[in-house]
Amino acid sequence: MKLWIVLMLFPMLVFSQDFKEEISIVQFSAPFTKESEISLKPFKQHNTYTFNITERKKVFDNEKIKYLPTIILYHNGDEVIRVESGISLKLPENTIELIEEKIEKIIESKF
């Protein structure tokens, strides 16, 4: 019985950090902020995820998400930059550029 429980929980534990691997861009949002989300298509060559608070509350708590939407760039498990909407519920207009700059620095540091 214990083995069965461990086998059932293991995939959830493993996935809980998978979204932070390599270069990953994660958008944290909610149904009421859908219009304020950005398209993650410019980052399609990297890992991209959009999490909804109604479906992944625990991830929002673990990542200490205060504002929606929020975009976080991770590199190998480490947070590189966090772009928050603040009380306006709108991300800054230069959000994509801010993330692209950080990704370029990550890629340049590999050489």
Side-chain angles (χ1 to χ4, degrees):
M1 182 66 173
K2 288 181 184 179
L3 178 61
W4 184 80
I5 292 171
V6 170
L7 290 175
M8 292 300 292
L9 292 176
F10 183 72
M12 292 188 313
L13 294 172
V14 170
F15 179 75
S16 68
Q17 298 299 313
D18 280 354
F19 67 89
K20 295 181 180 183
E21 293 305 311
E22 299 175 2
I23 295 175
S24 299
I25 300 90
V26 183
Q27 182 161 228
F28 296 88
S29 192
F32 62 89
T33 59
K34 199 81 170 148
E35 290 182 20
S36 297
E37 292 179 6
I38 63 165
S39 171
L40 298 180
K41 287 181 182 177
F43 309 111
K44 64 184 175 192
Q45 69 274 25
H46 306 292
N47 301 318
T48 59
Y49 305 90
T50 298
F51 294 152
N52 191 312
I53 194 167
T54 58
E55 298 165 0
R56 299 197 154 230
K57 176 79 169 95
K58 188 170 184 164
V59 175
F60 281 66
D61 292 341
N62 290 344
E63 299 304 310
K64 297 177 177 64
I65 303 301
K66 296 178 185 175
Y67 302 103
L68 297 174
T70 291
I71 308 288
I72 301 179
L73 169 64
Y74 296 98
H75 181 239
N76 293 332
D78 296 324
E79 183 176 317
V80 176
I81 186 173
R82 178 181 296 234
V83 183
E84 299 175 311
S85 62
I87 60 172
S88 69
L89 301 178
K90 294 189 186 299
L91 290 163
E93 288 187 27
N94 66 340
T95 297
I96 291 174
E97 291 81 12
L98 291 170
I99 296 168
E100 285 175 337
E101 285 176 17
K102 295 295 184 178
I103 291 173
E104 285 179 28
K105 287 182 182 179
I106 291 168
I107 293 170
E108 287 173 2
S109 72
K110 292 181 179 182
F111 297 104

